[in-house]
Amino acid sequence: MNYTYRIYPNVVQQTELLSWLETCRGVYNYALRELKDWIASRKCSVDRCSLEKEYIIPADEPFPSYHRQQNNLPKAKKQFPHLGKVHSQVLQNTIRRLHDTWEAFKKRGHGFPRFKKFGQFKSFLFPQFKHNPINGFTIKLPKLGEIPMNLHRPIPDGFKVKQVRVLSRVRGTQWYVVVTIESDISVPDVPVHGRAIGIDLGLQRFLTASDGSFQERPKFFKSMQRKLKLLQRRAARKQKGSQNWEKAQIEVARMHHRIANRRKDFHLKTAHQLCDRAQTIFAEDLNVTGLTRGMLRKDCVDAAFGQFLSLTEWVCWKRGVYFAKVNPNGTSQTCPSCLATVSKGLEVREHHCPECGYRTHRDHAAAEMVLDRGLENVVAQGLWGTETACQVGLSGVYDLDKWRGAGIPNREAGKPAL
């Protein structure tokens, strides 16, 4: 479990942190260069070489793996003394970060690791601590000393600090630490229980629940776009690389950071409101990557559906609420009352079924369909009714009431075979 805190390093510590980031960036790029050169030397056929360039690497040279590059760090410190100023485990974790990216690339088949430009390497990690580095309202980091921090929530009893990641935000003017804490207590998976609702995400209404409630979409980026455009215009008129240009860029970065914070705060509060109303939540398994490539990509990125679903899943786990995703195909084109197909375009905001006459808002009908699919999945998997031992011996009337409380229409009340 991760806790994020704001830290306030002094001028000397801030200069040291920026220097560490640049050193880690150099180590990352150097290790990636070795990796790419070794791969490029194996691209040519055995009977000919490349006409453009030739990589003179012996054929018996092994692959520059994580352990080989990590073992070369002590030799590199003798050749480049500035590497010794950075904690050794921080450099080792930088190599680990590159090879994790390399393994992820081989698994998915695309997204080859790229070189980090100036300012693109924004974090480094202290992977372990012998003692708790947090003392009051300060955190003690190796080779950096004690740094004041805003401990807005204390570390829970029974947890110990495992690792700390230092983050740079707003072009190195704001600093945060992500503290990873661990406990020996094992938390079981949350079972299906209580009142269930389905939610549908959209652009006109950010969220519509199956119980009829909805949440309007705050346009965080669009509401601040005019001011952001003004700041970007001012930055573009400055001489690139000057102090005034850097100040203008910091103002732009601070505005982006504020927009992201407001959006995340809204997502977390909305997720907690859902957990207050239900103990089982079903949502659509949206293709968030595809949504950011269409005509409405700016609105979809501003809404950040992927971040909201991830945060909702985390909040549900933390509060003991069951959360699951269902197939989103056809949820807005199917009548939740009679399951008939009702085709309608995006401009049609009302659902009216010609078969059964059911009429409601389009998003509300989709949310009801999400709930139906979610309950069908848990019944098919045998998950419904396993949350408590006191349910053994319950009458069928109580089971029907529980299904009706979950939002199932009367015509579906007797459908599940429990």
Side-chain angles (χ1 to χ4, degrees), residues 106-146:
K106 292 195 300 182
K107 185 176 181 180
R108 64 176 176 261
H110 61 87
F112 194 91
R114 298 182 180 181
F115 292 105
K116 301 293 184 180
K117 298 181 181 179
F118 177 81
Q120 287 187 345
F121 208 92
K122 300 179 180 179
S123 69
F124 57 83
L125 177 69
F126 293 97
Q128 63 180 4
F129 288 89
K130 291 183 179 180
H131 306 287
N132 186 7
I134 300 177
N135 183 17
F137 289 91
T138 60
I139 181 170
K140 186 176 182 180
L141 301 178
K143 289 193 173 184
L144 293 173
E146 294 188 351

Side-chain angles (χ1 to χ4, degrees), residues 51-303:
L51 297 177
E52 297 179 357
K53 59 180 64 177
E54 181 180 358
Y55 296 87
I56 307 176
I57 297 180
D60 58 347
E61 182 72 17
F63 176 76
S65 63
Y66 163 69
H67 296 287
R68 286 181 57 85
Q69 292 187 330
Q70 178 186 355
N71 294 335
N72 290 334
L73 283 176
K75 302 177 184 178
K77 289 181 181 179
K78 297 179 180 179
Q79 186 177 0
F80 304 100
H82 69 279
L83 296 180
K85 298 180 180 180
V86 184
H87 195 266
S88 59
Q89 290 185 340
V90 172
L91 295 179
Q92 294 172 9
N93 189 264
T94 301
I95 302 296
R96 178 78 272 171
R97 177 174 172 178
L98 168 64
H99 285 273
D100 288 343
T101 308
W102 167 252
E103 294 297 331
F105 157 70
K106 292 195 300 182
K107 185 176 181 180
R108 64 176 176 261
H110 61 87
F112 194 91
R114 298 182 180 181
F115 292 105
K116 301 293 184 180
K117 298 181 181 179
F118 177 81
Q120 287 187 345
F121 208 92
K122 300 179 180 179
S123 69
F124 57 83
L125 177 69
F126 293 97
Q128 63 180 4
F129 288 89
K130 291 183 179 180
H131 306 287
N132 186 7
I134 300 177
N135 183 17
F137 289 91
T138 60
I139 181 170
K140 186 176 182 180
L141 301 178
K143 289 193 173 184
L144 293 173
E146 294 188 351
I147 303 177
M149 65 182 301
N150 181 15
L151 194 69
H152 53 83
R153 58 177 175 180
I155 303 297
D157 296 334
F159 286 81
K160 59 182 179 180
V161 177
K162 296 296 293 183
Q163 60 185 21
V164 174
R165 178 174 293 276
V166 180
L167 298 177
S168 171
R169 292 287 182 267
V170 194
R171 299 180 69 87
T173 59
Q174 295 184 14
W175 296 89
Y176 298 84
V177 288
V178 180
V179 181
T180 302
I181 57 179
E182 184 184 50
S183 177
D184 297 333
I185 302 174
S186 61
V187 180
D189 294 335
V190 180
V192 184
H193 66 289
R195 180 173 182 265
I197 62 172
I199 59 175
D200 175 75
L201 303 179
L203 295 179
Q204 186 181 35
R205 293 179 176 179
F206 177 77
L207 182 143
T208 304
S210 57
D211 57 3
S213 61
F214 61 91
Q215 178 72 46
E216 296 293 340
R217 179 174 70 92
K219 300 179 181 180
F220 301 101
F221 181 79
K222 285 196 170 183
S223 62
M224 306 296 292
Q225 189 174 8
R226 183 174 182 179
K227 188 174 182 180
L228 181 63
K229 184 178 180 180
L230 177 63
L231 295 177
Q232 290 175 335
R233 186 185 297 115
R234 291 176 181 175
R237 292 174 178 173
K238 302 294 189 297
Q239 183 180 357
K240 188 174 182 179
S242 63
Q243 293 185 359
N244 289 332
W245 177 84
E246 182 63 27
K247 293 179 182 178
Q249 293 294 335
I250 291 175
E251 291 295 329
V252 174
R254 186 177 290 120
M255 179 60 65
H256 279 293
H257 188 63
R258 180 185 177 188
I259 294 173
N261 285 343
R262 292 178 58 191
R263 182 186 296 113
K264 187 175 182 180
D265 179 71
F266 168 75
H267 287 169
L268 285 172
K269 290 180 179 178
T270 304
H272 279 284
Q273 291 174 3
L274 290 175
C275 293
D276 292 337
R277 290 155 42 192
Q279 293 76 41
T280 299
I281 299 176
F282 299 106
E284 294 178 306
D285 189 9
L286 298 176
N287 179 16
V288 293
T289 303
L291 292 175
T292 59
R293 297 175 180 173
M295 295 177 57
L296 302 174
R297 54 185 176 271
K298 180 183 288 188
D299 295 274
C300 292
V301 171
D302 192 10

Side-chain angles (χ1 to χ4, degrees), residues 43-54:
K43 285 184 177 180
C44 300
S45 304
V46 294
D47 58 340
R48 66 183 67 89
C49 295
S50 174
L51 297 177
E52 297 179 357
K53 59 180 64 177
E54 181 180 358

Side-chain angles (χ1 to χ4, degrees), residues 330-391:
T331 53
S332 60
Q333 309 294 327
T334 306
C335 178
S337 179
C338 63
L339 302 182
T341 301
V342 184
S343 300
K344 47 186 174 293
L346 289 176
E347 69 280 358
V348 180
R349 306 313 304 171
E350 185 183 23
H351 170 80
H352 182 206
C353 180
E355 300 290 337
C356 64
Y358 182 62
R359 185 188 297 268
T360 184
H361 193 274
R362 173 199 181 103
D363 297 338
H364 180 226
E368 290 181 326
M369 197 64 211
V370 170
L371 176 62
D372 288 352
R373 290 185 180 181
L375 293 178
E376 289 176 1
N377 291 340
V378 298
V379 171
Q381 298 172 8
L383 299 177
W384 188 269
T386 61
E387 70 276 7
T388 57
C390 63
Q391 191 181 356

